[in-house]
Amino acid sequence: MSNNATDSAWLRIRNRYRVFVVWALAIVPVVYSIWHYWGEWTIFFGALAGHWLFWQAIVACLYDKTIWPGGAAPEDGKAIRGGVVAFAVAGYITMFFYFF
């Protein structure tokens, strides 16, 4: 299987489901923060800010935009953008274990 065929399949899947992924990644931390941190407002808003910081990087990757200011531009290549997005996904997941 050629690299172009793999890229096209990935792009088709990504484009088909990216709106769902974007909304799910935006709503899940709000529900989690409400459930877990309600009443502790500094932690509540800090957790939301952390989630949305990493969420922005994931969304930028899905829509082929620059990831974080000064981060990975679309012309930087797959390896660099993949590394930045892997860091963003790890940070996003780590924020779910954010406890004081």
Side-chain angles (χ1 to χ4, degrees):
M1 182 177 242
S2 72
N3 194 17
N4 290 337
T6 305
D7 287 345
S8 339
W10 160 246
L11 291 176
R12 282 194 310 270
I13 291 170
R14 183 191 75 172
N15 291 340
R16 182 177 299 156
Y17 296 110
R18 69 180 166 191
V19 173
F20 171 74
V21 170
V22 166
W23 279 103
L25 290 177
I27 292 171
V28 167
V30 173
V31 172
Y32 174 77
S33 294
I34 288 171
W35 171 68
H36 193 75
Y37 301 118
W38 190 259
E40 301 174 29
W41 300 113
T42 17
I43 299 172
F44 176 82
F45 290 114
L48 282 181
H51 275 104
W52 284 337
L53 173 74
F54 292 115
W55 172 81
Q56 182 273 337
I58 297 167
V59 171
C61 177
L62 290 174
Y63 285 96
D64 291 330
K65 304 292 182 192
T66 300
I67 302 172
W68 287 324
E75 356 8 278
D76 285 343
K78 292 179 185 179
I80 293 173
R81 288 178 63 83
V84 172
V85 170
F87 175 75
V89 169
Y92 184 88
I93 292 170
T94 301
M95 288 302 297
F96 280 106
F97 302 108
Y98 175 76
F99 294 107
F100 276 177

